[in-house]
C-alpha cells in the first residue's frame, strides 16, 4: 500500500458506486476474454486438476472405508485443489507478471477506480472456478460414478465452502503476488505453496494417513478445510466417523475459511503495490 | 471541477523536491516549473533521477520534502478526476498479448470521461492497418504507438512520456514528433524523458539536465550549458591538411582567414557545439576527442 491510496470520493457516492460496478464488470469481461484466449493458461489451470484426478485414482485402488473408494475420496480433494489453483496460483502468478511488466502501473495511471481492478479479478476467478468445478464433477460422474449431492443442504454446503474457499485463496493469491521480485521468479515462488498444501491437506492423500504433526500444520491453511467441507458433500455421512475429528466439523470449516478471508484481506491491503519496487533511474 | 486560479498558474510547479531511498538521497531539493502548452524534456544518464522525478510528478511515488503541484494538485494525493486530466505513456508492457489493438484502445477509452474516438485515435497514431492484430503480434515501434494511443486517449492536459521513441525507425520517429508537436499546439503540456538528444533538440521548448539527483542546467536547447557562447570550431583544409581552431568569435575569425588566404578557405566548416557535445560535457564525459569530429546531434547514447 505504498502507492496511491484510495483518493477521497468527490463524486456523488451513488454515481461513483455505479461507475465502480460498471467498470468492474467490464474489467471482469476483459479478464475472462484474455484468460480464455490464453490457451496455455486454460489448459494448465483447467485440465491440471483433471489429470491429477485421473493419475492419482489410477495409482491407488480399492476401498478406504466401507462403501468409499479412494477415487470417491479424491474427487472432493481435487475439486478443492482446482479452486486453489484458479484462485491462488493462477492469480498470484498473473498479477506478479502484470506488475513486473508495468501493466498495473498503466492501469493505475488512468482514472479507473482501483477497486474495479479487483472486482474484475474476482469475476474472473469465480467464473473460471465454476467452469473448472463443472468439468471436474462431470469427469468424476462419468469416470468414477460419483453421485451428485442429493439434498439441498448438501448443495448449499457445496456452494458456501467453494465460495469462501476460493475467496480466501484469491485474496492470498493477490497478497502473495507482491512477493516475487520479477515475473520470472513468480511461478517458482508461488507453486511450492500450492504443491505442498495439496499433499498435506487431504487433497491427494487420505488426510488421516498423515502423521499428526503434518495434520496440525495443514489445519492452519485453508485447503484442508475446503477438502473436508467438500467431502461432507460428496461422501456418505457414514464416512464422517473416519475423519480426524470423527465429524465433518462444518462449523470449524466456516471459521477457518472466514479467518483466512479476513487475513487475506489484511495481507492484500498491507502488501499490494501497483508499481515494481523502487528501481531508481 | 477545477480549482480556482488553475488556469493561470504553471502546469507543473516543483519546489525543493527531495527524495530519499533509505539513506541515499535520490533528488537534492530540485526546483523547476513547466508552463501550460510547453514541451519539457528531462535528460540525464541512467540512475540520475529522471524516472524518479517523473514518477513523483505522475503520482506514483511519495517524496520526502518540497512541494509538487501538477495542474494545481499534489499528484500523490490527487483523485481520479485529476488522473483523467493526466496522460502517461509508459514503456511497452506487453500485458495485452491476447487482445487486439482495437479492443485495447476501446477498453482504455472506457476509463475516461471525455475519451477520443478509439478508431480515429488508432488512425492518428498510424495503426489503422493493425487495428485487428493481436497486441503480441505488433512490432516494437507499433507497440510504442499503441502505448502512445493509450496515453493520449483521455485528451490529457499534461502528458508524460518515458523514452517514447525507443525502437522507432527514423521516419516513424519524425511522424511521432509531429504528433507530439500537434498535441502541444493544441495546448497539451508535455514532459518527456529521452536518451535521444536530437529528440530533445527537435521537440523541446526547454530541457533540464539531471545528474546525480541535481538539475545541472535548465533552458532552451540552443543555449543549454552555455552552448551559444561556447567556443566554436572553425576548420578548413590548409596546405598541410586539416586545420582547426577553437574560437568564441567565429565570424571574425572566418573574415580574417579570408583576408589571410586572399580568397575562399577550402573545405571551411564552422561547427557550434551540438546539444550532445554540451550534454556530454555536463555529465562529465570526456568530449575533447569527439568535439572536433562531432557531427550533427542525434548520435544516440544507448539506453539500458
Amino acid at each position: 500500500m505504498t502507492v496511491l491510496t484510495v483518493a477521497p470520493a468527490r463524486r456523488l457516492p451513488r454515481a461513483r458506486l455505479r461507475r465502480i460496478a460498471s467498470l468492474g464488470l467490464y474489467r471482469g469481461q476483459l479478464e475472462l476474454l484474455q484468460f480464455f484466449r490464453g490457451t496455455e493458461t486454460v489448459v494448465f489451470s483447467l485440465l491440471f486438476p483433471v489429470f491429477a484426478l485421473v493419475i492419482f485414482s489410477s495409482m491407488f485402488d480399492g476401498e478406504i472405508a466401507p462403501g468409499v473408494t479412494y477415487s470417491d475420496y479424491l474427487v472432493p480433494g481435487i475439486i478443492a485443489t482446482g479452486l486453489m489453483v484458479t484462485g491462488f496460483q493462477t492469480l498470484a502468478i498473473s498479477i506478479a507478471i502484470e506488475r513486473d511488466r508495468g501493466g498495473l502501473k498503466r492501469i493505475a495511471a488512468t482514472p479507473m477506480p482501483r477497486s474495479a481492478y479487483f472486482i474484475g479479478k474476482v469475476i474472473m476467478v469465480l467464473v473460471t472456478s465454476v467452469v473448472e468445478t463443472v468439468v471436474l464433477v462431470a469427469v468424476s460422474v462419468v469416470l468414477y460414478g460419483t453421485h451428485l449431492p442429493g439434498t439441498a443442504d448438501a448443495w448449499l454446503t457445496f456452494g458456501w465452502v467453494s465460495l469462501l474457499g476460493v475467496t480466501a485463496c484469491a485474496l492470498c493469491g493477490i497478497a502473495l503476488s507482491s512477493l516475487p521480485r520479477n515475473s520470472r521468479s513468480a511461478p517458482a515462488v508461488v507453486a511450492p505453496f500450492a504443491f505442498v498444501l495439496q499433499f498435506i491437506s487431504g487433497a491427494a492423500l487420505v488426510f488421516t494417513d498423515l502423521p499428526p504433526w503434518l495434520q496440525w500444520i495443514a489445519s492452519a491453511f485453508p485447503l484442508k478445510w475446503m477438502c473436508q467441507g467438500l467431502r461432507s458433500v460428496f461422501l456418505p455421512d457414514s464416512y464422517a466417523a473416519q475423519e480426524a475429528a470423527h465429524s465433518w466439523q462444518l462449523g470449524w470449516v466456516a471459521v477457518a475459511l472466514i479467518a483466512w478471508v479476513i487475513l487475506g484481506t489484511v495481507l492484500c491491503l498491507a502488501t499490494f503495490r501497483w508499481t515494481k519496487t523502487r528501481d531508481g533511474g | 471541477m477545477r480549482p480556482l486560479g488553475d488556469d493561470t498558474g504553471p502546469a507543473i510547479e516543483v519546489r525543493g523536491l527531495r527524495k530519499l531511498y533509505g539513506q541515499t538521497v535520490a533528488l537534492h531539493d530540485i526546483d523547476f516549473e513547466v508552463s501550460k502548452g510547453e514541451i519539457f524534456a528531462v535528460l540525464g544518464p541512467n540512475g540520475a533521477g529522471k524516472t524518479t522525478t517523473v514518477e513523483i510528478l505522475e503520482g506514483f511515488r511519495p517524496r520526502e520534502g518540497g512541494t509538487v503541484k501538477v495542474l494545481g494538485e499534489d499528484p500523490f494525493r490527487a483523485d481520479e478526476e485529476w488522473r483523467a486530466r493526466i496522460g502517461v505513456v509508459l514503456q511497452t508492457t506487453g500485458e495485452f498479448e491476447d487482445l487486439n489493438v482495437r479492443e485495447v484502445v476501446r477498453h482504455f477509452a472506457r476509463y475516461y470521461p471525455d475519451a477520443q474516438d478509439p478508431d480515429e485515435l488508432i488512425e492518428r497514431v498510424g495503426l489503422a492497418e493493425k487495428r485487428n492484430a493481436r497486441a503480441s503480434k505488433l512490432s516494437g515501434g507499433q507497440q510504442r504507438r499503441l502505448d502512445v494511443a493509450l496515453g493520449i486517449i483521455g485528451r490529457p492536459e499534461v502528458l508524460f512520456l518515458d523514452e517514447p521513441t525507443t525502437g522507432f525507425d527514423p521516419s516513424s520517429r519524425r511522424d511521432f514528433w509531429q504528433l507530439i508537436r500537434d498535441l502541444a499546439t493544441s495546448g497539451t503540456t508535455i514532459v518527456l524523458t529521452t536518451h535521444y538528444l536530437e529528440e530533445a533538440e527537435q521537440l523541446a521548448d526547454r530541457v533540464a539536465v539531471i545528474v546525480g539527483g541535481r538539475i545541472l542546467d535548465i533552458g532552451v536547447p540552443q543555449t543549454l550549458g552555455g552552448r551559444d557562447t561556447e567556443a566554436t570550431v572553425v576548420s578548413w583544409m590548409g596546405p598541410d591538411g586539416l586545420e582547426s581552431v577553437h574560437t568564441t568569435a567565429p565570424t571574425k575569425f572566418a573574415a580574417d582567414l579570408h583576408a589571410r588566404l586572399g580568397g575562399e578557405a577550402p573545405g571551411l566548416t564552422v561547427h557550434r557545439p551540438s546539444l550532445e557535445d554540451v550534454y556530454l560535457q555536463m555529465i562529465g564525459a570526456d568530449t575533447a576527442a569527439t568535439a572536433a569530429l562531432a557531427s550533427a546531434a542525434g548520435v544516440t547514447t544507448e539506453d539500458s
Side-chain angles (χ1 to χ4, degrees):
Chain A
M1 232 178 54
T2 48
V3 173
L4 288 163
T5 39
V6 180
R10 280 190 202 162
R11 226 179 287 266
L12 282 171
R14 189 178 294 169
R16 191 178 153 71
L17 284 178
R18 205 177 303 136
R19 177 172 154 80
I20 290 174
S22 91
L23 285 177
L25 281 173
Y26 185 65
R27 280 213 57 92
Q29 202 182 322
L30 190 89
E31 296 271 7
L32 285 169
L33 190 64
Q34 276 180 291
F35 181 83
F36 285 105
R37 277 191 192 165
T39 324
E40 311 91 2
T41 30
V42 175
V43 170
F44 280 98
S45 56
L46 291 188
L47 292 187
F48 168 77
V50 175
F51 293 150
L53 178 63
V54 172
I55 291 166
F56 277 107
S57 60
S58 61
M59 272 160 45
F60 307 99
D61 222 352
E63 296 198 337
I64 55 170
V68 177
T69 65
Y70 175 70
S71 307
D72 295 335
Y73 189 89
L74 203 55
V75 168
I78 298 288
I79 291 173
T81 306
L83 295 174
M84 181 181 67
V85 170
T86 50
F88 173 77
Q89 197 167 336
T90 313
L91 200 56
I93 294 173
S94 70
I95 296 178
I97 293 173
E98 273 183 83
R99 179 182 294 113
D100 187 48
R101 286 174 167 181
L104 288 185
K105 185 177 171 186
R106 198 200 292 278
I107 299 174
T110 73
M112 181 201 75
R114 302 300 159 89
S115 34
Y117 174 79
F118 297 102
I119 295 173
K121 288 290 179 201
V122 167
I123 292 172
M124 183 195 72
V125 166
L126 290 180
V127 172
T128 51
S129 302
V130 169
V131 172
E132 159 111 65
T133 306
V134 168
V135 169
L136 269 177
V137 171
V139 169
S140 346
V141 168
V142 171
L143 290 185
Y144 307 108
T146 303
H147 297 290
L148 292 177
T151 64
D153 257 11
W155 279 107
L156 189 68
T157 308
F158 192 9
W160 72 255
V161 171
S162 304
L163 191 63
L164 276 182
V166 81
T167 307
C169 288
L171 289 166
C172 294
I174 293 171
L176 194 72
S177 74
S178 300
L179 195 61
R181 286 175 161 267
N182 57 52
S183 50
R184 282 185 307 282
S185 66
V189 171
V190 174
F193 284 90
F195 185 78
V196 171
L197 283 182
Q198 266 171 70
F199 283 95
I200 67 171
S201 300
L205 306 171
V206 178
F207 188 69
T208 43
D209 289 351
L210 296 171
W213 63 271
L214 260 187
Q215 294 188 17
W216 278 106
I217 293 174
S219 301
F221 295 96
L223 186 61
K224 182 256 182 195
W225 301 101
M226 292 158 67
C227 291
Q228 194 169 316
L230 294 184
R231 279 200 295 276
S232 84
V233 175
F234 286 95
L235 297 189
D237 273 341
S238 61
Y239 189 81
Q242 309 289 323
E243 289 287 347
H246 310 294
S247 112
W248 297 123
Q249 292 180 297
L250 286 182
W252 282 110
V253 170
V255 168
L257 294 182
I258 289 169
W260 270 98
V261 168
I262 294 167
L263 184 64
T265 308
V266 171
L267 286 175
C268 276
L269 292 175
T271 62
F272 198 83
R273 292 181 277 113
W274 292 89
T275 52
K276 282 193 270 184
T277 34
R278 64 184 182 84
D279 43 13
Chain B
M1 213 195 304
R2 296 180 192 183
L4 284 175
D6 186 37
D7 282 335
T8 55
I12 296 173
E13 217 180 330
V14 175
R15 293 275 164 269
L17 169 59
R18 168 173 288 259
K19 175 72 193 171
L20 305 174
Y21 287 132
Q23 298 294 309
T24 321
V25 183
L27 295 175
H28 300 264
D29 304 331
I30 65 174
D31 302 286
F32 63 91
E33 270 184 18
V34 181
S35 326
K36 294 221 159 77
E38 189 176 10
I39 304 182
F40 187 79
V42 183
L43 298 178
N46 288 327
K50 295 193 299 286
T51 308
T52 301
T53 306
V54 173
E55 287 194 340
I56 289 171
L57 297 179
E58 291 166 346
F60 286 121
R61 284 177 196 275
R63 56 181 187 272
E64 273 65 43
T67 51
V68 175
K69 292 242 184 300
V70 176
L71 294 174
E73 292 189 47
D74 177 348
F76 196 64
R77 316 229 166 276
D79 59 10
E80 287 157 18
E81 284 173 45
W82 178 83
R83 284 251 158 250
R85 300 166 63 197
I86 301 293
V88 179
V89 173
L90 292 157
Q91 294 184 27
T92 300
T93 53
E95 76 269 30
F96 311 117
E97 0 181 71
D98 298 314
L99 299 176
N100 68 39
V101 169
R102 200 147 173 273
E103 287 168 335
V104 175
V105 176
R106 289 169 69 104
H107 168 62
F108 274 75
R110 290 280 297 253
Y111 297 154
Y112 292 90
D114 179 32
Q116 300 189 49
D117 178 75
D119 291 312
E120 280 171 27
L121 179 61
I122 290 169
E123 185 98 35
R124 190 171 174 202
V125 298
L127 283 176
E129 284 162 31
K130 293 283 171 187
R131 68 176 75 233
N132 292 316
R134 295 241 171 143
S136 55
K137 300 274 185 272
L138 299 179
S139 71
Q142 289 165 343
Q143 294 211 355
R144 295 299 290 136
R145 287 154 189 255
L146 180 57
D147 296 332
V148 171
L150 299 183
I152 65 177
I153 186 144
R155 306 179 200 273
E157 291 165 53
V158 176
L159 179 66
F160 295 97
L161 300 122
D162 191 9
E163 296 173 24
T165 59
T166 305
F168 277 34
D169 60 45
S171 92
S172 32
R173 176 164 296 147
R174 296 208 172 253
D175 292 348
F176 176 80
W177 289 345
Q178 197 49 52
L179 178 71
I180 297 302
R181 287 190 196 105
D182 292 347
L183 286 171
T185 309
S186 66
T188 310
T189 307
I190 290 163
V191 176
L192 69 118
T193 67
T194 183
H195 279 297
Y196 299 104
L197 293 149
E198 189 195 359
E199 185 158 282
E201 184 149 34
Q202 287 279 337
L203 277 182
D205 298 315
R206 283 188 309 143
V207 174
V209 176
I210 299 187
V211 178
R214 291 186 168 85
I215 293 188
L216 281 196
D217 197 10
I218 197 162
V220 299
Q222 292 71 26
T223 63
L224 197 79
R227 193 178 155 200
D228 50 334
T229 54
E230 184 115 316
T232 298
V233 181
V234 179
S235 43
W236 70 97
M237 291 305 290
D240 308 317
L242 186 73
E243 295 190 44
S244 54
V245 167
H246 290 245
T247 171
T248 51
T251 318
K252 181 177 187 306
F253 185 87
D256 292 350
L257 187 66
H258 184 266
R260 184 146 59 91
L261 297 176
E264 278 299 310
L268 179 79
T269 62
V270 178
H271 178 68
R272 285 220 168 260
S274 68
L275 184 59
E276 176 149 332
D277 297 334
V278 296
Y279 171 73
L280 291 175
Q281 232 161 37
M282 283 165 108
I283 67 169
D286 178 16
T287 56
T290 52
L293 295 170
S295 55
V299 184
T300 57
T301 41
E302 207 46 54
D303 54 339
S304 63

